[in-house]
């Protein structure tokens, strides 16, 4: 069934509830992706197939871009923090009315923007969910979208076709092959996967053309562009804004939209429609000063990189950087009692890739083995309802190969097979 929540006089959230005939008292909200204002029907279907009463929303606007943010601060508020909360409040009431009894436990599942939404829920509305699965969270949003724009600028955007720094799709294949050649075997096995990208010290000068050669190599300007791309982004006062892109990410098809010489849509639309409210803004002079402006505005509290998780922790209820930030905030060396991070070597954004990137995290096809050891959503249920926290999760590759994924800060180590190992070993 569909329902509408009018959040203000100028904004509204549309949502749907998929209610399975066989229900075990579990409620699930699913998130969105990118700048998306579309209900994630594939994950609605997935949640209902596992007998969750499942709710998904349009995140406060229709369509996959950000044009509706223009002069609409309340629509931005829905996107930044409100849509998931209000659809969850009403969704739970609908579930109770339909089944004649309230839910017993509530869960959240999302990736990318959906991961940020889950993180925001834990920060702002810790009572909404008992368990949250937040994949690849797009937290530290203003810096993330700022990095997206800077990556495009490094290779000549918005006039990349005439820039000596531009790197074509064919040359990116060359770059990807060279990164694998330099870093694939750091984990002890050549398998087309860089297990720990932080250990990869990519040397782009290896691709520099020699003599008069121009084929199968890069110019000085292109090599310098690579140096900028594969280093962290720093702010106007020298502070870290965002970590570098992982070496190996260039092979992900999703990354093509970020490294093709145009400003990727989520960066383009956020700065054009939410920060500058200027449809003619063209990024010709975009720099870290613009990121500083976005920081100072932080529309809707979109950053999702400050606050305190203690309330969510005390209920019993994305990145290494976020994990370490939470650890410092709560002054807890280990977050294992309420927060566990699993790094997935070789996975593309959210799912797939050359690694074992299917472990029940999104949509029915990701649920290769319907068991808590192989399905992160079911593992969350087991943690919340049975008190058994996951130390690992098994993933499956497209070729049917299984690999163990370890809870951070454990490392995935090759020892004739993949095992999890503490850093101290």
């Amino acid at each position: 069934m569909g329902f509408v929540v009018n959040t203000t006089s100028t904004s509204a959230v549309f949502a749907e509830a998929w209610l399975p005939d066989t229900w075990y008292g579990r409620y699930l909200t699913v998130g969105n992706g990118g700048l998306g204002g579309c209900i994630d029907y594939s994950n609605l279907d997935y949640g209902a197939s596992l007998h969750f009463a499942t709710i998904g929303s349009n995140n406060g606007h229709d369509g996959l871009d950000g044009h509706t943010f223009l002069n609409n601060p309340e629509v931005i508020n829905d996107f930044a923090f409100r849509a998931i909360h209000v659809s969850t409040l009403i969704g739970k009431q609908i579930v109770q009315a339909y089944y004649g009894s309230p839910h017993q436990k509530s869960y959240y599942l999302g990736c990318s923007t959906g991961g940020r939404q889950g993180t925001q829920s834990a920060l702002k509305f810790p009572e909404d969910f008992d368990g949250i699965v937040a994949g690849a969270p797009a937290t530290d949003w203003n810096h993330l979208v700022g990095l997206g724009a800077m990556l495009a600028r490094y290779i000549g955007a918005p006039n990349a076709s005439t820039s000596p720094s531009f790197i074509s799709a064919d040359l990116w294949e060359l770059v990807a092959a060279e990164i694998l050649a330099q870093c694939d075997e750091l984990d002890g096995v050549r398998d087309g996967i860089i297990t720990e990208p932080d250990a990869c010290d990519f040397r782009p000068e290896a691709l520099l053309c020699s003599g008069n050669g121009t084929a199968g190599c890069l110019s000085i300007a292109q090599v310098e562009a690579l140096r900028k791309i594969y280093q962290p982004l720093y702010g106007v006062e020298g502070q870290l804004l965002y970590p570098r892109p992982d070496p190996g990410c260039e092979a992900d098809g999703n990354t093509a939209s970020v490294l093709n010489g145009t400003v990727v849509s989520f960066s383009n639309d956020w700065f054009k429609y939410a920060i500058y409210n200027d449809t003619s803004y063209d990024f010709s002079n975009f720099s870290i000063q613009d990121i500083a402006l976005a920081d100072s505005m932080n529309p809707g509290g979109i950053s999702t990189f400050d606050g305190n998780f203690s309330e969510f922790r005390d209920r019993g209820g994305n990145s290494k950087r976020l994990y370490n930030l939470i650890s410092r905030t709560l002054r807890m060396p280990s977050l294992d009692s309420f927060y566990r991070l699993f790094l997935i070597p070789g996975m593309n954004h959210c799912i797939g890739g050359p690694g074992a990137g299917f472990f029940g995290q999104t949509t029915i096809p990701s649920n290769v083995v319907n068991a808590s050891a192989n399905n992160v959503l079911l593992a969350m249920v087991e943690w919340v309802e049975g008190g058994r926290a996951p130390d690992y999760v098994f993933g499956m590759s497209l070729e049917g190969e299984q690999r163990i994924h370890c809870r951070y800060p454990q490392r995935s180590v090759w020892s004739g097979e993949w095992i999890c190992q503490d850093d101290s070993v």
Side-chain angles (χ1 to χ4, degrees), residues 160-177:
S161 61
T162 59
S163 171
S165 299
F166 177 64
I167 300 173
S168 67
D170 289 345
L171 289 177
W172 275 115
E173 291 183 4
L174 185 72
V175 173

Side-chain angles (χ1 to χ4, degrees), residues 288-370:
I288 56 175
Q289 298 287 351
D290 299 277
I291 302 175
L293 175 63
D295 255 347
S296 67
M297 295 173 63
N298 195 24
I302 187 75
S303 177
T304 320
F305 209 61
D306 57 10
N308 196 311
F309 280 87
S310 59
E311 289 188 42
F312 184 72
R313 174 200 63 192
D314 293 343
R315 286 193 69 222
N318 68 58
S319 66
K320 289 183 284 188
R321 184 172 174 232
L322 181 60
Y323 181 100
N324 293 332
L325 176 68
I326 298 168
S327 178
R328 291 194 303 271
T329 300
L330 298 181
R331 298 180 181 179
M332 296 173 63
S334 173
L335 305 181
D336 279 358
S337 64
F338 81 104
Y339 182 106
R340 297 200 171 191
L341 169 65
F342 294 87
L343 304 177
I344 314 297
M347 184 175 72
N348 286 349
H349 187 55
C350 291
I351 193 170
F358 298 87
F359 46 93
Q361 75 275 32
T362 178
T363 72
I364 290 174
S366 76
N367 188 27
V368 180
V369 180
N370 193 24

Side-chain angles (χ1 to χ4, degrees), residues 112-132:
S112 194
T113 282
R116 184 193 63 77
Q117 291 168 313
T119 305
Q120 190 79 292
S121 295
L123 286 168
K124 288 186 177 295
F125 309 107
E127 296 296 324
D128 282 359
F129 304 110
D130 297 292
I132 294 172

Side-chain angles (χ1 to χ4, degrees), residues 201-225:
D201 183 18
F202 172 48
R203 294 173 290 100
E205 64 271 17
L207 292 169
L208 185 63
C209 296
S210 60
N212 296 322
T214 58
C217 59
L218 302 183
S219 68
I220 293 176
Q222 291 167 327
V223 168
E224 287 306 310

Side-chain angles (χ1 to χ4, degrees), residues 79-103:
F79 174 76
F81 72 90
R82 193 165 53 200
I84 293 294
H85 177 57
V86 298
S87 60
T88 295
L89 293 181
I90 302 302
K92 288 178 178 178
Q93 295 176 33
I94 290 172
V95 167
Q96 181 170 356
Y98 183 80
Y99 290 109
S101 61
H103 69 280

Side-chain angles (χ1 to χ4, degrees), residues 233-245:
L233 180 66
Y234 294 97
V236 293
E237 297 179 354
Q239 75 278 24
L240 176 67
L241 296 184
Y242 212 83
R244 68 173 183 170

